[in-house]
Amino acid sequence: MKNILFFLLPVFLLSCSRKQADAVVSFDTDTLINDSYIGNGAQWDPYQLDYGKGRLAISDADWKKLYDRLDFMRPQFIRMMINTSSFVDNGKLTPEKGMETLSKMLDYCQSRHVTVMFGDWGWSVLNTREGTINEKNMQHAAGLMNYLVNEKGYTCIGYYNLINEPNGDWSATDTNYRLWVSSMKQFYRNMEEWKMNGKVSLAGPDIAIWGKDETWWIDSTAVQLGDKVGLYDIHTYPSKITVNSGEYSAILSAYKNAVPNGKKIVMGEIGLKFVEEADSLYDQENTRRAKAKKHASLNDSQMFVYDYRYGIDMADALLQAINTGYSGSVAWMLDDAMHSNEAPDKLKIWGFWNILGEEQFGAEEERVRPWYYAWSLLTRYIPVGSRIYKSDVSGDTGIKAVISKKDGNCTIGLLNISKSDKTVDLTGPGLPERAGYKKFIYSDGTLETAGDCMLLPNEENLTLDFSKGKSVCIPAESLVVYTTFDY
C-alpha cells in the first residue's frame, strides 16, 4: 500500500486512508476486448465564418492556437462533414472553392497521422422532397474525394460517411431506409469509377440512437451492403442518468453485438443531453443558461460544457463505450464557431472553446473549457493501435475503470462519479511491477495546467505493482489516469 499512498496528496490521505475499500477493480489482461483501437477525437467541421455581421477570418495566431490545443489532445480519429454543394459552381465541381478552412484542417490531420472520417451531411446528394438521389452531386461527391485523396494527397481520409443520421426525421433521408441504401450503393459505384474504393471505405449507418430499438439498421446494413461498408458507426446523446446508472453500456452492447464479425464500430458523435425525466432539472437549467447567453442556440446547445462535471459525465460515457468494444469515439464537438442554429449568430454551444471569441463572441469564450482536459487524457493516452483489456468492478457502482496497453506502455483510467472520495482496491495479476507512471487527476481544484492548454501530471515517476493488489483513493467526481507513455 505504501508504494502508492506515499505519493497521494495529503487531503486524499485524510479522507481515504484506514477505511475498507468501497470498490475492487480487477484488470484481466488475459481477456482482450479490442485488439486494435482506432482512437478518440472530436467533430471538426469547416467553419461558418459569417455570423450575420460580415465574413470573419481565422487568424494565423488562432490557427496556431488550434493546432497547439489539438497537439496536446492528440486526436487519433476526427469526423469532418461538408456539403458537396459548397464545392460546386454553376453545376461544375470546383474543389478549390471550399478549401479556405478545410485545407488547414486536413493539413493538420495529414501531418499528425490522424484518421479522418469525411463525409457529406446529405442535403447536397439527395432531393429530399422527392425522396430521390441527386445523381449529379453524388458524382461530384466522389469527384471531390478523388481531388482530396489522389490529387491533394490527403491519405489521412480513411472513411466516408454519406448522409448524417439517416434514421431521423431531421435527416436528408427523412427516415427513408431504402433511400439511404440506394444512396450508399450509388456512391460506392461512383467511387469505383474513380478507383477510390481501395483507398477510402464507407462508414455507416451513422444512425442516432437512444435505446435498443434501432439495431435493425445494423443488421440490414450488413445484409444490404455487405463489404461495401468498412466501418460501422452510430451517434449517441444519452441522458445523464442513462450514463451514470450504467444503462448506457447495455444499450451500446445491443449495437456492438449486431456488427458482423471482423468489422469494427465507432461512436461517430457523442454528447450528453437531458432527455429523461430524472434529468428534468438539468434540462431546465440548460434552457435558462442558453436564454441568458446572447449567442447561444436555444434549441441546440449543451450549456454544461462550461462545468467540470461535464468532463466527468463524458468520461463515464467514453469508458463504457470502450469497455463495450467500440473502437473509437468522436466528441460533439471541437469548436462553437463551426455551426449555428436558428440564426447566423446563434451558435451551437457544445465545444471545447470558441476560437472566434475575441473577434466576436467574447474573449472568455476562446479559453479552454475544463472538459477538454478530461477528454484529452482519454484521447492522448489511449492512442491508435491500443489493445483494450477487461476491467471488472465490484462494490460501489459509481466507480468505472479502463485499461489499455500498447508497445509496452500502459494506461489505466479510474473514474469516480459520486460526490464523495472512494477507496478502491486494484488487482491485476498480469500487470508486473513497473516504474515510470505519471498520474493525472481531473477534478475541480486539482488540475495542474501550464500555458494555454497544457495539463501537467499531479505526480510523476511512480512505481506501481498491481499484481499484489494496491489501494488507492479516487477523489469525488474525478477521473484519475495513470500512464507510462512519456509524452
Side-chain angles (χ1 to χ4, degrees), residues 122-134 169-174 176 179:
W123 307 104
S124 296
V125 297
L126 296 181
N127 303 311
T128 301
R129 289 185 179 180
E130 296 81 10
T132 59
I133 296 171
N134 185 324
D169 57 12
W170 57 88
S171 173
T173 56
D174 193 17
N176 189 331
L179 178 60

Side-chain angles (χ1 to χ4, degrees), residues 23-88:
V24 176
V25 175
S26 301
F27 298 117
D28 180 3
T29 53
D30 290 327
T31 303
L32 190 63
I33 293 176
N34 200 312
D35 63 352
S36 183
Y37 200 68
I38 293 174
N40 302 317
Q43 182 91 15
W44 194 20
D45 298 321
Y47 289 79
Q48 182 175 315
L49 296 182
D50 189 345
Y51 306 93
K53 296 182 180 179
R55 193 169 180 83
L56 297 178
I58 299 176
S59 67
D60 290 343
D62 277 343
W63 279 115
K64 183 181 185 305
K65 185 180 290 187
L66 281 168
Y67 278 27
D68 288 346
R69 291 175 177 184
L70 286 165
D71 279 348
F72 178 77
M73 184 190 294
R74 286 186 179 238
Q76 313 287 297
F77 188 45
I78 278 177
R79 183 171 182 255
M80 196 176 292
M81 299 292 282
I82 53 93
N83 292 302
T84 299
S85 56
S86 299
F87 299 81
V88 176

Side-chain angles (χ1 to χ4, degrees), residues 404-435:
S404 68
K405 299 178 75 175
K406 181 186 178 183
D407 298 335
N409 286 300
C410 179
T411 294
I412 292 170
L414 301 169
L415 184 71
N416 178 8
I417 66 170
S418 74
K419 294 184 181 298
S420 59
D421 298 352
K422 300 293 180 181
T423 298
V424 178
D425 286 346
L426 306 177
T427 65
L431 289 173
E433 182 175 349
R434 169 70 190 271

Side-chain angles (χ1 to χ4, degrees), residues 122-155:
W123 307 104
S124 296
V125 297
L126 296 181
N127 303 311
T128 301
R129 289 185 179 180
E130 296 81 10
T132 59
I133 296 171
N134 185 324
E135 295 189 6
K136 192 170 185 178
N137 272 359
M138 191 73 81
Q139 291 171 352
H140 289 327
L144 178 61
M145 290 305 297
N146 175 69
Y147 170 80
L148 292 174
V149 177
N150 288 334
E151 294 186 32
K152 300 297 289 184
Y154 290 123
T155 54

Side-chain angles (χ1 to χ4, degrees), residues 253-274:
S253 293
Y255 293 87
K256 171 64 173 67
N257 293 339
V259 172
N261 290 334
K263 295 292 178 71
K264 292 182 179 295
I265 184 171
V266 297
M267 200 69 65
E269 290 182 17
I270 183 172
L272 264 68
K273 291 189 174 181
F274 306 116

Side-chain angles (χ1 to χ4, degrees), residues 107-230:
D107 284 347
Y108 178 87
C109 295
Q110 184 73 18
S111 65
R112 270 64 165 188
H113 308 290
V114 178
T115 298
V116 176
M117 182 162 64
F118 198 81
D120 188 292
W121 292 106
W123 307 104
S124 296
V125 297
L126 296 181
N127 303 311
T128 301
R129 289 185 179 180
E130 296 81 10
T132 59
I133 296 171
N134 185 324
E135 295 189 6
K136 192 170 185 178
N137 272 359
M138 191 73 81
Q139 291 171 352
H140 289 327
L144 178 61
M145 290 305 297
N146 175 69
Y147 170 80
L148 292 174
V149 177
N150 288 334
E151 294 186 32
K152 300 297 289 184
Y154 290 123
T155 54
C156 57
I157 301 175
Y159 302 99
Y160 195 91
N161 180 192
L162 184 70
I163 305 172
N164 183 64
E165 299 177 352
N167 64 322
D169 57 12
W170 57 88
S171 173
T173 56
D174 193 17
T175 76
N176 189 331
Y177 172 77
R178 290 184 179 180
L179 178 60
W180 177 75
V181 169
S182 297
S183 302
M184 292 282 280
K185 290 179 177 179
Q186 181 63 57
F187 186 73
Y188 187 86
R189 289 193 293 269
N190 292 348
M191 291 281 279
E192 277 187 322
E193 293 175 6
W194 288 104
K195 296 180 171 53
M196 290 291 297
N197 284 326
K199 300 178 180 180
V200 178
S201 299
L202 292 185
D206 203 61
I207 54 174
I209 65 98
W210 279 267
K212 302 177 183 178
D213 53 332
E214 300 274 27
T215 54
W216 66 269
W217 274 80
I218 304 290
D219 298 327
S220 296
T221 297
V223 171
Q224 295 293 328
L225 296 173
D227 286 338
K228 291 181 175 66
V229 172

Side-chain angles (χ1 to χ4, degrees), residues 350-369:
W350 283 87
F352 298 115
W353 55 72
N354 181 334
I355 201 61
L356 294 174
E358 291 181 356
E359 289 78 1
Q360 182 159 325
F361 301 101
E364 71 282 358
E365 300 297 327
E366 201 157 318
R367 290 197 289 267
V368 167
R369 296 165 190 162

